[in-house]
Amino acid sequence: MSKILYGLYDMMNIAAFRLNQDDQFELITLSPTWLKHFTPVGTNKGSIVHLDGIFPFLDCFVAEAFEVWEAQTETPHRSGPWVDFTPEGEEFPLEATAVCIDGECVLVIQDLGEEYYTEASRLQTFRDQALEKERLEIAITEQTQQIRRREEEIAMTLLAASGHRDHETAEHVRRIGLYAEALAKELGWDLEKAADLRIAAAMHDIGKIGIPDSILLKPGKLTQEEFEIMKGHPAIGADMLNKTRIPLLNMAAQVSLCHHERWDGTGYPKGLKGEEIPIEARITTIVDVYDALVHKRVYKKASSEQAALKLMAQMVGKHFDPALFQLFVKNLPKMQRIRQAYSEPTRRTTISA
Amino acid sequence: MSDVNNKVNAVLQKKICMLGAFSVGKSSLVTRYVESIFGDKYHTTVGVKISKKELTVEEQEVKLIIWDLAGQDDLTRLRTSYLRGTSGYILVCDGTRPFSLKVALNMHKEAREYSGDISFVLIINKFDLQSSTDWELDQEQLSALEASGIEVLYTSAKTGDGVDEVFQKLTKKMLQEHNVLENT
Ligand SMILES: Nc1nc2c(ncn2[C@@H]2O[C@H](COP(=O)(O)OP(=O)(O)OP(=O)(O)O)[C@@H](O)[C@H]2O)c(=O)[nH]1
Ligand SMILES: [Fe+2]
Ligand SMILES: [Fe+2]
Ligand SMILES: [Mg+2]
C-alpha cells in the first residue's frame, strides 16, 4: 500500500487495520489518541488488536466487512455511527469502514468528532419538530372528535324531540347508524366520512316530525290519501336538514330524501334508479329493513334472522343494491354484534301524545 | 460437577435490540434498567449505543448486550444488518402517541423478515402518563394485537415500573428458544 496513503491515515486521526493471514487485525497506522483509551498500553503500528473484544459493535459489522472483502469491491462500506465509552466513561462517536485496497482487506475506524455532534443536533431539531407536529395532529383529531360527539348529541336530541312518536325506538335509530358506519368502513371510506354516515343514517326518518299523529300512530292500514301524506316524510326531513351548510346535515338530508327510493326505480319520492340513488341512502335502506325485520314492533313479531335474510334476498335488485347487499351479508357477524350491544330495553315506555 | 451442570452455569451472552419510533423512550428504558436513572430531557440517539447488563433467570446467568438503536423517522430507517446475531428485540411504543404503535409494528415486520421468528416483546412505555389526558392508545388496536397472540406489556422508564420485568421476560423467552436449539 502506498506511503502517501499511510501518511494520510496518520494525519487524519484514523486507525486502519489490515486483516492478516490468521484473520487478525494488525494496526497499520500510528495509534490515534482516541484509540489509546481502548487498547492495551503499548499498542501501536504493527500491533495485533483484538477488535471484537474492544468494540462489541464490530461483532456485527465485521461479518459485513468480510462480505465486502470476499467480493473484493473497491467501494468502501461504512458501518454507520456508533457511540462507545472508554473505561473512564468518556464518549467517542466512531464509524468503521471496510474497504479493499490493492487486494488487502482493510478496516478503518474513525473518530467522527464534531461531524457527529453537528449531525446529532440537526436530527434533534428535526425530531423535536416532528414531535410538535404529531402533538398538533393529535390535538386536531381530538377536537374533531369532540365536535362530532356534539353533533351526534344534537342529532340524537333532535331525534328525541321528534318524539319517536311512531314505533321506532331510540335503539333502532342508533343501530341503523352503527350498521351503516360499519358498511361504509368496509367500503373503504375514510373514518371521518363513515362517522358522518353513522349520524346521518340515524336521522333518516326525522321528517316524520311533520306527519300528523293521526296518520303516524294510526293502528290499522293507511288509506291511499293518508299514505300519500306519509310519503312526504323524506322531503320534509330533507328540507329541514338542507337549511344549513353543515356537511354532516347535508349528508343526512340526502339520506332522508332517498331512503325510500328503490334500486329498480319504483320507490319514492323521485323514483330514482340504481346508482342515481346516493350510496349513503342505499346503505341506509338495507340496514333499516334488516333492523325492522329482526325486531319486534307493536304491529308485528320479530322475524328470525334466517327468515329476515330470506325475505331480503328476494328484495335484491328490486329494492336493494345487489353489490351492497352482498357486502351486508358478508358482514353479518358485525351487524349481529351491533344488535347485541344495542338491544332493545325489555320494557318500552311509549310516549303518549 | 457434571457436564450438564457446567453448561447451565456458564454465563450466556445474548444480544438484544431496542426498536421503535423516535422518542418513545428506548434509551430511557435502557438507562433505567442498566443505571437506574432517568432524565426528562430528550436527547435523540444517533447511530448505535451498546450497554451491558447481567441478570439471572431461572438460575441461568445471562449477559445482555443491549443495542439501543436510533429511532425510526422520515430521515432514519432501520438498518436491518444491526440485527445480525441478535437473539431478541424489544418493540417500544409510546402510549401518548398512537402513531408509534404503527411504526413499531412495521419494524416488527422488518425484523421478522431479517431475523425470522426470534423472541420479542411489545411494550407500551410512559405508563406513568396513563391517567393523564395525553394517554392516547387505541384500545381496539391493542385488543386486536392481543387477539393475534402478541403480548403487550406496560412500562415507565420514569418511575421504573415494569422495566426489569420486560428484560426478565424477554430473557426468559430467549432462554427457552436457546434450550430448544441446544436440544435439537
Ligand atoms: N413521562 C415519561 N417520559 C418518558 C418515559 N420514557 C421516556 N420519556 C421521555 O421521552 C423522551 C424520549 O426518550 P428517549 O429515551 O430519548 O427516546 P428514544 O426512543 O431513545 O428516542 P430516539 O433515540 O430519538 O429514538 C425523553 O424526553 C424522555 O424523558 C416514561 O416512561 N415516562
Ligand atoms: Fe322512512
Ligand atoms: Fe327506520
Ligand atoms: Mg434513543
Side-chain angles (χ1 to χ4, degrees):
Chain A
M1 217 186 301
S2 81
K3 282 230 158 58
I4 303 171
L5 205 54
Y6 279 127
L8 269 177
Y9 284 164
D10 287 345
M11 273 161 51
M12 281 164 64
N13 221 14
I14 270 172
F17 301 87
R18 185 178 72 94
L19 190 70
N20 70 14
Q21 277 119 354
D22 306 325
D23 273 0
Q24 289 174 314
F25 289 104
E26 176 193 336
L27 183 60
I28 53 174
T29 54
L30 297 174
S31 177
T33 334
W34 61 264
L35 185 65
K36 296 201 168 84
H37 293 289
F38 296 96
T39 48
V41 189
T43 304
N44 219 326
K45 200 182 262 189
S47 304
I48 298 294
V49 182
H50 297 286
L51 283 178
D52 43 349
I54 298 172
F55 302 117
F57 176 80
L58 292 179
D59 274 355
C60 176
F61 183 66
V62 165
E64 271 177 62
F66 269 103
E67 285 164 18
V68 173
W69 294 327
E70 267 152 32
Q72 304 248 322
T73 39
E74 300 245 310
T75 33
H77 180 64
R78 301 177 66 159
S79 70
W82 88 92
V83 179
D84 232 304
F85 295 87
T86 64
E88 296 77 43
E90 198 184 342
E91 169 181 300
F92 281 98
L94 305 172
E95 181 165 31
T97 305
V99 64
C100 264
I101 304 173
D102 299 337
E104 298 245 48
C105 308
V106 176
L107 187 79
V108 177
I109 305 178
Q110 173 187 11
D111 171 13
L112 296 172
E114 272 317 297
E115 188 193 323
Y116 174 84
Y117 295 103
T118 313
E119 173 67 1
S121 87
R122 190 181 72 87
L123 280 172
Q124 184 76 55
T125 312
F126 177 79
R127 287 181 184 148
D128 285 340
Q129 281 168 359
L131 268 185
E132 196 47 44
K133 201 178 132 216
E134 247 184 78
R135 274 192 207 110
L136 274 176
E137 274 164 10
I138 291 176
I140 290 171
T141 320
E142 240 168 36
Q143 272 170 16
T144 320
Q145 274 169 359
Q146 203 175 12
I147 291 171
R148 189 177 306 287
R149 271 196 297 276
R150 278 191 209 149
E151 283 177 346
E152 191 160 5
E153 226 170 280
I154 293 170
M156 290 303 164
T157 313
L158 274 176
L159 284 170
S162 80
H164 309 299
R165 290 174 308 143
D166 61 351
H167 315 289
E168 309 287 32
T169 63
E171 289 73 26
H172 164 71
V173 153
R174 210 172 272 282
R175 283 192 304 263
I176 298 300
L178 290 165
Y179 300 137
E181 181 186 30
L183 286 182
K185 280 187 189 161
E186 285 301 315
L187 285 169
W189 291 18
D190 69 53
L191 297 183
E192 296 283 295
K193 201 176 157 200
D196 272 350
L197 183 61
R198 180 179 72 237
I199 303 167
M203 299 175 84
H204 65 281
D205 264 343
I206 198 165
K208 284 186 180 168
I209 200 170
I211 307 297
D213 281 355
S214 57
I215 297 173
L216 196 63
L217 300 178
K218 182 173 168 181
K221 217 171 151 34
L222 298 180
T223 65
Q224 187 58 37
E225 210 172 296
E226 287 167 337
F227 190 54
E228 284 308 315
I229 295 174
M230 187 66 183
K231 275 162 75 176
H233 81 270
I236 296 172
D239 282 348
M240 281 169 50
L241 295 165
N242 260 334
K243 292 219 163 67
T244 73
R245 266 197 244 138
I246 302 170
L248 162 67
L249 293 186
N250 297 148
M251 184 197 272
Q254 294 251 300
V255 172
S256 171
L257 187 63
C258 302
H259 76 279
H260 286 287
E261 298 288 2
R262 294 181 177 192
W263 185 253
D264 64 3
T266 61
Y268 63 88
K270 291 188 181 160
L272 298 179
K273 208 171 172 172
E275 293 190 353
E276 289 169 5
I277 309 165
I279 186 156
E280 294 85 347
R282 277 182 271 144
I283 294 172
T284 307
T285 306
I286 296 178
V287 297
D288 192 23
V289 170
Y290 168 71
D291 198 72
L293 284 175
V294 293
H295 287 93
K296 191 165 91 55
R297 289 288 174 272
V298 179
Y299 54 89
K300 70 166 199 55
K301 285 196 303 208
S303 313
S304 71
E305 178 147 296
Q306 218 179 0
L309 286 174
K310 204 168 149 199
L311 195 67
M312 287 175 80
Q314 291 164 8
M315 296 162 85
V316 173
K318 295 179 208 147
H319 207 118
F320 303 144
D321 174 342
L324 278 179
F325 184 71
Q326 230 177 13
L327 187 73
F328 169 80
V329 172
K330 210 177 114 206
N331 287 283
L332 260 182
K334 279 201 186 109
M335 306 297 143
Q336 287 157 350
R337 251 174 277 143
I338 294 170
R339 255 178 78 185
Q340 269 159 18
Y342 294 86
S343 59
E344 308 271 311
T346 28
R347 227 169 54 92
R348 197 158 55 87
T349 43
T350 23
I351 306 159
S352 49
Chain B
M1 207 190 280
S2 77
D3 221 31
V4 178
N5 278 335
N6 261 336
K7 210 172 190 175
V8 170
N9 290 337
V11 179
L12 278 177
Q13 188 160 305
K14 293 280 174 195
K15 170 180 171 181
I16 64 170
C17 290
M18 308 293 295
L19 303 181
F22 69 100
S23 194
V24 293
K26 299 179 294 300
S27 304
S28 301
L29 286 161
V30 175
T31 325
R32 161 61 72 190
Y33 181 56
V34 177
E35 300 170 50
S36 304
I37 48 175
F38 174 78
D40 264 317
K41 193 155 168 25
Y42 174 34
H43 295 288
T44 188
T45 307
V46 177
V48 180
K49 256 183 209 174
I50 298 174
S51 313
K52 293 168 196 160
K53 168 100 178 180
E54 288 188 17
L55 75 163
T56 308
V57 173
E58 289 166 355
E59 289 169 42
Q60 171 66 60
E61 275 182 68
V62 181
K63 181 175 190 179
L64 289 181
I65 313 292
I66 309 170
W67 285 50
D68 178 19
L69 306 182
Q72 182 152 314
D73 65 23
D74 294 343
L75 297 185
T76 320
R77 321 268 342 146
L78 172 65
R79 184 163 167 160
T80 42
S81 59
Y82 288 158
L83 292 170
R84 190 190 287 264
T86 199
S87 303
Y89 53 92
I90 300 182
L91 295 164
V92 187
C93 313
D94 176 342
T96 67
R97 290 162 56 215
F99 186 61
S100 68
L101 183 54
K102 281 196 194 126
V103 176
L105 290 178
N106 274 334
M107 293 181 91
H108 177 45
K109 224 174 104 202
E110 273 181 271
R112 282 201 144 194
E113 271 161 27
Y114 185 88
S115 301
D117 205 1
I118 58 173
S119 306
F120 73 96
V121 286
L122 186 142
I123 64 180
I124 312 288
N125 189 37
K126 309 199 185 176
F127 200 55
D128 52 290
L129 298 174
Q130 189 233 359
S131 50
S132 83
T133 52
D134 289 335
W135 194 254
E136 290 286 346
L137 233 65
D138 186 344
Q139 204 50 51
E140 216 172 285
Q141 229 178 338
L142 282 182
S143 316
L145 280 183
E146 279 175 341
S148 74
I150 295 182
E151 187 183 6
V152 181
L153 303 171
Y154 295 84
T155 56
S156 167
K158 189 167 183 166
T159 64
D161 282 335
V163 177
D164 283 5
E165 288 84 339
V166 162
F167 287 91
Q168 283 273 344
K169 190 146 217 167
L170 179 63
T171 308
K172 210 166 164 181
K173 284 190 182 186
M174 293 191 300
L175 286 185
Q176 274 163 4
E177 211 153 278
H178 178 89
N179 291 337
V180 169
L181 291 179
E182 290 280 285
N183 296 334
T184 43

